Amino acid sequence: MKKILFTWLISSFILSCGTSSKSTNTVQKAEAINPSVYASTITAEELKEMLYKYASDEFEGRETGEKGQKMAVEYLKTQYQSMDIPTPLGDDDYFQEVPLEKQSVSTATFSIDGQTFKNFEDHIVLRASGNTQISVDDIVYVGYGIDADNYSDYKSIDVKDKIVLAKAGEPKDDNGNYVTSGEAGDTKWTNGRQSLSSKRDAASANGAKGLILLDSNMFSRYAPYFQRQAESGATGRLSLKSSEPEMMMLLINDNTAKSLHASILEDSTPKVLNSDLTIAIENKSETITSENVVAYIKGSEKPDEIIVISAHLDHEGIKNGQVYNGADDDGSGTIAILEIAEAFKMAEKAGHGPKRSVLFLHVTGEEKGLLGSRHYTDNDPIFPLANTVADLNIDMIGRIDPNRKSGNRNYIYLIGSDKLSTELHNISEEVNSKYTNVELDYTYNDENDPNRFYYRSDHYNFAKNNIPVIFYFNGTHADYHKPSDTPDKIEYDLLENRTKLVFHTAWELANRANRIIADKAE
C-alpha cells in the first residue's frame, strides 16, 4: 500500500485540536494525540485499488474451501507482511485453520410403528453426524420447541438423551402478540431459517439427542431442492468438524407428524409419546480445511486486553459459470480492515501504538453459517474471550440501501451497539460526532426485526458470549448475493468515511484509560 509522505511528517507531532476539555465525557482525553492524523491514511483511492483486486474474477468468488478462497487468504497474508504487521500465531503463520465437513444430501430409512416414510416426500435429513442408527419406543413431544426466559416448552419435561418432536410457530397471547416478545412481528422462533436453528439449539441445550420438526411450509420449499441435490450427487452443506457428534435433525410434513402424534396441530402440551421409531441415516461427507486470517498489533500498556475488528473473507464462489465477486459482501469489509490495520501501524511506527492489543480477524465460512467466527469463539479463541473487550464487525459498507427513503447518503446502519454495553454505544455516538459525522441509522437494531440481521453476521458469535459488539452495515440491494455485486458499484467516498468511523471507534476503545463494561451482559 502506498501512502503520501506528508503523513509521516504530521504523525510525529502530538496534536490536541478538537479534544474535549470535559473529563467526564465518554470519549476520554487519555492523551493529546489526534487520531485523525492516522485516519487520513485511509483513502478512497487505496480502498478502490484493493477492492478491484480482491473482488476480481481472478479470486473466483472466494467460496469457502475452494481455490479462490485460498487465493484470498494468501492475498491478505501478503498485505500484512508488506505492512510489517505480525501474526499472533507466531513465526509467519497468519492462518488459523478451520476444520470443516462437506456433506452430500443425507437420506434416511424412517419408519413409525412399522410404517415406512419416504425421503423428500415425507421427511428430510437436515443434520446428522456420520451414519446414524436410532431405534426407540418413545419420543418426547415438546409443543413448539421453545425455550425462552418468559416461556418454555421444556420446563416441565425431561428430554435428556431423547428424540424430541416439535412443531413450527409460536403461541400468541390474548392480544394476538407472540408470547416471547409481546409483539406482533416475527421472532427468532417463527422466522424461517432462524426458527430452525433456534429450536435446534433449544433441544440441544436441554440434552436431546435428536429433533424432529414439523414445518409444512418450509418442507414444501426445501424438499424439491434437497431431492435435486441428491439426484445430482452434489455436495452441499458445510459444517464445523467436531469431536462431539452433531445432533440429528429431521424436517417432516403433516402426514409424518400425525403418525407420531395424531392431534399435533391442535395440541401444544409437552408429553411422552409411545411409538416404535426407527431411523437409519446414511451420511456421506468429506473433511476440508479453510482458514481465518489473523494479524495484530500488540498493546503497549494493556496487551492482554483485545479489541477485535472482524469481517468475512469468503463469498458465494462460481454458480452456473458466473463469478459471484462479492465486492460489497464482504470485499468492502475485508479491505476496510486492511486500511484500518495500516492506520494503526502508522501510529505505532510514530510511537503512538495502541495501549490495548488490536486483532484484525478475517473469518471464513460466513456465507455457510458463520463458521469461521464460530470456530474462533467456540473452539479456538486465540486470545481468551474474557480478555476480549469488544468486536467491531464490518459486513457490507460500500453501497447505499435503495429502500432507505430518508436521510442523507452518508449513513451507516449500526446493529448491536447498545445490546451489551451502554458505554460502547455512547462511545460510538461521540466518536462519530467528533470525527466523521456519519448518519448513524438504527433501523435494524432490533433482535426481533424480521430481517434478523443481528443474528446474521460474525459479530453474533461474540455477542452470544457476552462480548460487546457493533455491526456496521449498509443494507442489502439488488446485487446482494448475485454476480452483479461488483467493485464498480461501490461508493468509495462512503466506504472511506465508514472505514474511518470504525478506525476512530477502535482507537478510542484501544486507548481509553478504562476497559468498557458490559453492563447489560447476562
Side-chain angles (χ1 to χ4, degrees), residues 289-340:
T289 300
S290 189
E291 300 85 16
N292 293 334
V293 179
V294 290
Y296 91 131
I297 293 177
K298 187 175 182 178
S300 60
E301 295 182 16
K302 302 173 185 287
D304 293 335
E305 295 184 14
I306 312 299
I307 311 299
V308 177
I309 307 176
S310 62
H312 71 90
L313 61 89
D314 62 306
H315 195 54
E316 294 283 295
I318 300 175
K319 298 180 181 179
N320 299 318
Q322 291 186 293
V323 177
Y324 284 61
N325 301 96
D328 193 25
D329 184 15
D330 186 28
S332 61
T334 301
I335 55 100
I337 289 185
L338 291 175
E339 284 285 86
I340 292 167

Side-chain angles (χ1 to χ4, degrees), residues 134 159 161-165 203 207-212 247-250:
I134 294 174
V159 302
D161 296 326
K162 297 287 188 178
I163 304 296
V164 300
L165 171 67
K209 67 178 181 180
L211 169 65
I212 301 172
M247 190 185 76
M248 179 201 75
M249 184 175 183
L250 273 67

Side-chain angles (χ1 to χ4, degrees), residues 338-499:
L338 291 175
E339 284 285 86
I340 292 167
E342 186 176 33
F344 271 107
K345 186 63 179 181
M346 298 285 274
E348 183 185 55
K349 286 182 176 180
H352 302 143
K355 294 179 180 179
R356 294 176 177 84
S357 297
V358 181
L359 177 68
F360 309 107
L361 175 63
H362 302 263
V363 293
T364 189
E366 189 270 355
E367 302 288 3
K368 307 299 183 182
L370 314 184
L371 300 181
S373 57
R374 181 151 59 93
H375 178 69
Y376 181 92
T377 59
D378 295 10
N379 299 338
D380 187 25
I382 295 171
F383 297 101
L385 297 185
N387 294 358
T388 303
V389 175
D391 171 51
L392 306 181
N393 183 54
I394 315 169
D395 192 351
M396 300 175 61
I397 61 166
R399 295 282 297 269
I400 296 173
D401 183 353
N403 295 317
R404 191 171 181 271
K405 303 302 183 184
S406 62
N408 68 64
R409 64 187 289 276
N410 184 30
Y411 77 96
I412 193 71
Y413 293 126
L414 291 193
I415 299 172
S417 65
D418 61 347
K419 299 299 181 188
L420 293 168
S421 172
T422 304
E423 275 186 290
L424 178 60
H425 177 74
N426 292 341
I427 288 167
S428 171
E429 288 273 345
E430 292 188 26
V431 162
N432 177 61
S433 178
K434 184 174 182 180
Y435 294 112
T436 50
N437 293 311
V438 177
E439 182 179 331
L440 304 182
D441 190 326
Y442 296 98
T443 296
Y444 298 114
N445 188 41
D446 180 358
E447 294 172 56
N448 293 315
D449 176 75
N451 295 285
R452 315 298 294 160
F453 289 132
Y454 179 70
Y455 302 95
R456 287 172 54 183
S457 192
D458 294 294
H459 62 280
Y460 178 68
N461 282 317
F462 289 89
K464 74 181 186 184
N465 285 288
N466 284 323
I467 296 169
V469 302
I470 302 178
F471 172 24
Y472 300 87
F473 177 53
N474 56 221
T476 58
H477 41 71
D479 302 305
Y480 174 64
H481 279 197
K482 292 183 180 178
S484 51
D485 182 8
T486 50
D488 57 296
K489 297 184 177 72
I490 297 296
E491 308 275 353
Y492 288 96
D493 61 329
L494 300 183
L495 179 55
E496 175 188 316
N497 208 29
R498 293 161 176 173
T499 303

Side-chain angles (χ1 to χ4, degrees), residues 153-264:
D153 290 303
Y154 289 91
K155 64 182 180 181
S156 61
I157 199 159
D158 181 14
V159 302
K160 185 172 176 56
D161 296 326
K162 297 287 188 178
I163 304 296
V164 300
L165 171 67
K167 62 181 177 181
E170 176 181 344
K172 295 184 176 182
D173 60 25
D174 293 340
N175 297 317
N177 296 320
Y178 287 118
V179 294
T180 62
S181 66
E183 298 176 0
D186 284 352
T187 74
K188 70 177 184 178
W189 304 103
T190 60
N191 185 268
R193 292 175 60 184
Q194 186 68 31
S195 71
L196 290 181
S197 58
S198 298
K199 296 189 178 190
R200 176 200 68 207
D201 292 347
S204 178
N206 282 279
K209 67 178 181 180
L211 169 65
I212 301 172
L213 179 65
L214 164 62
D215 191 327
S216 294
N217 290 332
M218 191 166 289
F219 185 90
S220 66
R221 299 199 308 271
Y222 278 29
Y225 171 77
F226 273 60
Q227 186 166 12
R228 288 194 302 269
Q229 291 290 98
E231 291 172 350
S232 69
T235 55
R237 189 175 71 89
L238 281 177
S239 61
L240 285 176
K241 187 174 178 62
S242 173
S243 58
E244 296 296 323
E246 190 173 44
M247 190 185 76
M248 179 201 75
M249 184 175 183
L250 273 67
L251 190 67
I252 61 175
N253 60 11
D254 284 0
N255 179 50
T256 311
K258 289 178 180 178
S259 296
L260 288 167
H261 183 31
S263 57
I264 188 171

